[in-house]
Amino acid sequence: MNHSNPQQHCITAQWFSGSTEKTISKFYFMDTNQSVCLQTAEYILLCGSFKEWLELLGYSALSIPALAATIRDFLLYQEQNNKSGLEQLVASDANRFMETLTQATGQRTGKPFSSGHLNKQIQALNLFSRHIRETGK
């Protein structure tokens, strides 16, 4: 994998469909609002290994990008808070990340995130924690 182009590592989240047939091949993720990507090589590799781990566990091809996008956002949050390595992460970081999400509003609706949306973010963080424990990464 070539890590010289950070743009290729962006995980994005918008649904595109050119026809009524919605197949996995038409499920693209693109962040149209920001071009912010992970800068830390360790975090980029960690996101990739997390997606592969989810595939091995049999998660849906439609669920994996959304779960990975949450982890990308969490790791971006860590980078913004000057935590650029896995050894710097602690459980309270996830709590603070969730606090920021509970205070945020959805870009599409302009309303606070629903409890269902927030629960999906918690699920992703729990899976990420399990991934780190089980793989030792």
Side-chain angles (χ1 to χ4, degrees):
M1 181 182 275
N2 180 1
H3 296 290
S4 61
N5 181 2
Q7 291 295 80
Q8 72 189 29
H9 304 292
C10 291
I11 303 168
T12 53
Q14 183 175 346
W15 176 264
F16 287 95
S17 176
S19 68
T20 56
E21 178 185 4
K22 292 181 180 176
T23 62
I24 293 173
S25 64
K26 292 188 169 102
F27 195 65
Y28 298 101
F29 282 84
M30 176 177 284
D31 187 346
T32 57
N33 302 314
Q34 59 180 346
S35 60
V36 178
C37 295
L38 291 170
Q39 300 299 311
T40 309
E42 181 179 8
Y43 285 170
I44 292 168
L45 293 172
L46 196 54
C47 276
S49 71
F50 179 65
K51 288 190 290 185
E52 291 171 3
W53 181 75
L54 291 172
E55 289 172 7
L56 288 173
L57 292 179
Y59 275 80
S60 162
L62 298 176
S63 296
I64 293 171
L67 293 167
T70 296
I71 300 311
R72 186 261 345 241
D73 291 344
F74 172 66
L75 294 175
L76 281 169
Y77 174 81
Q78 296 304 345
E79 286 181 343
Q80 291 166 356
N81 287 288
N82 298 316
K83 292 192 175 189
S84 58
L86 187 59
E87 71 282 348
Q88 295 175 304
L89 301 183
V90 293
S92 61
D93 293 331
N95 293 335
R96 280 192 294 280
F97 176 70
M98 287 307 302
E99 285 176 23
T100 64
L101 290 180
T102 59
Q103 297 169 4
T105 57
Q107 195 165 28
R108 184 177 51 83
T109 64
K111 296 179 182 178
F113 292 123
S114 70
S115 59
H117 177 80
L118 294 172
N119 285 336
K120 269 300 196 195
Q121 309 310 298
I122 292 168
Q123 177 195 18
L125 291 169
N126 285 335
L127 282 168
F128 185 61
S129 175
R130 181 178 154 202
H131 166 66
I132 291 169
R133 286 191 315 275
E134 289 183 7
T135 62
K137 294 182 180 182

